[in-house]
Amino acid sequence: LAKTTQPISMDSYEGQEVNITCSHNNIATNDYITWYQQFPSQGPRFIIQGYKTKVTNEVASLFIPADRKSSTLSLPRVSLSDTAVYYCLVGATHNAGNMLTFGGGTRLMVKP
Amino acid sequence: EAGVTQFPSHSVIEKGQTVTLRCDPISGHDNLYWYRRVMGKEIKFLLHFVKESKQDESGMPNNRFLAERTGGTYSTLKVQPAELEDSGVYFCASSQDRGRESYEQYFGPGTRLTVT
């Protein structure tokens, strides 16, 4: 399993762009990079997934360099409601299922 | 479309008692997963169903835990007998069958289990 390392916490202000970087030096060729968001008292929520280069959706962008040993989740113009824990996961492909392997996550605090 | 639902939202039981947690996945999702977070630790995978079959139960901690998914719809997770270290939040997630490249799972709100 590829281990991920990300900052324990980050602070930001409303309207700013937030970039959370995750290291995954031992990522395997077949692994995908996935980010989840979790609010208090809720289950994790899928944000974005990518394999290489850049992926963008209505919520965020994911930047993955050519060596794939890291990835950066970019949240444009954050609001107070983006305060949550963000998890970087590297696809733990298994014989028959896509079980998720969560690390400690990054606790993002957005201030007014 | 209704999301993943879990029942109960919170359960408090005494050590040695039995508790059954229920998960109703999103309709049409063949994959159903159970995860849990015990106090101060990370969210850990427990097991994975594909329809009614257990595909992977490598994360089940011991034989006090029994998961079922009769008929391939809802699933139950029974803990018998419960121990103090079983306290935590139990999450259920479901997903469509999109092959090995998709890690988009839909999580329920979790059941907070407290064993006293």
Side-chain angles (χ1 to χ4, degrees):
Chain A
L1 298 177
K3 178 179 170 59
T4 61
T5 303
Q6 52 184 124
I8 294 175
S9 65
M10 292 181 67
D11 288 344
S12 182
Y13 291 91
E14 282 189 293
Q16 289 189 330
E17 178 184 78
V18 171
N19 295 308
I20 306 175
T21 297
C22 177
S23 297
H24 26 79
N25 291 318
N26 297 323
I27 190 169
T29 302
N30 294 331
D31 284 343
Y32 280 70
I33 300 157
T34 310
W35 285 79
Y36 275 75
Q37 172 193 56
Q38 186 178 25
F39 298 112
S41 300
Q42 294 186 24
R45 183 175 75 104
F46 173 89
I47 300 176
I48 197 166
Q49 175 179 310
Y51 183 79
K52 61 180 179 181
T53 62
K54 176 183 175 182
V55 179
T56 297
N57 61 23
E58 65 278 7
V59 177
S61 294
L62 179 60
F63 298 91
I64 305 169
D67 67 5
R68 304 201 328 122
K69 292 183 182 299
S70 67
S71 60
T72 298
L73 175 73
S74 181
L75 305 172
R77 299 181 59 79
V78 294
S79 64
L80 297 177
S81 62
D82 292 316
T83 293
V85 178
Y86 292 83
Y87 295 97
C88 165
L89 298 89
V90 174
T93 55
H94 200 264
N95 288 337
N98 295 346
M99 59 183 241
L100 301 177
T101 302
F102 288 86
T106 296
R107 188 173 300 275
L108 173 66
M109 172 69 72
V110 180
K111 303 174 182 179
Chain B
E1 177 183 286
V4 176
T5 58
Q6 294 186 244
F7 182 83
S9 58
H10 194 180
S11 179
V12 181
I13 61 172
E14 294 183 352
K15 176 183 174 181
Q17 290 186 321
T18 298
V19 64
T20 299
L21 313 181
R22 173 171 170 144
C23 168
D24 285 78
I26 293 173
S27 178
H29 282 191
D30 288 339
N31 295 289
L32 187 149
Y33 305 82
W34 284 97
Y35 296 84
R36 75 170 180 176
R37 187 213 305 272
V38 295
M39 185 66 71
K41 299 292 181 62
E42 298 163 355
I43 298 173
K44 295 290 188 184
F45 166 81
L46 295 178
L47 87 160
H48 169 212
F49 283 98
V50 176
K51 297 184 180 179
E52 67 275 9
S53 300
K54 290 178 185 176
Q55 199 67 54
D56 178 2
E57 51 185 332
S58 62
M60 294 288 264
N62 51 61
N63 59 11
R64 295 186 293 103
F65 290 75
L66 174 65
E68 295 180 326
R69 193 183 181 194
T70 306
T73 54
Y74 71 91
S75 174
T76 58
L77 180 64
K78 179 189 288 188
V79 184
Q80 179 183 28
E83 298 289 344
L84 297 178
E85 64 265 24
D86 299 332
S87 295
V89 182
Y90 290 76
F91 293 104
C92 174
S94 71
S95 71
Q96 294 177 319
D97 183 10
R98 292 180 179 169
R100 296 170 62 84
E101 290 80 28
S102 175
Y103 295 91
E104 183 172 2
Q105 297 180 11
Y106 296 82
F107 281 76
T111 293
R112 180 174 296 278
L113 174 64
T114 302
V115 183
T116 62

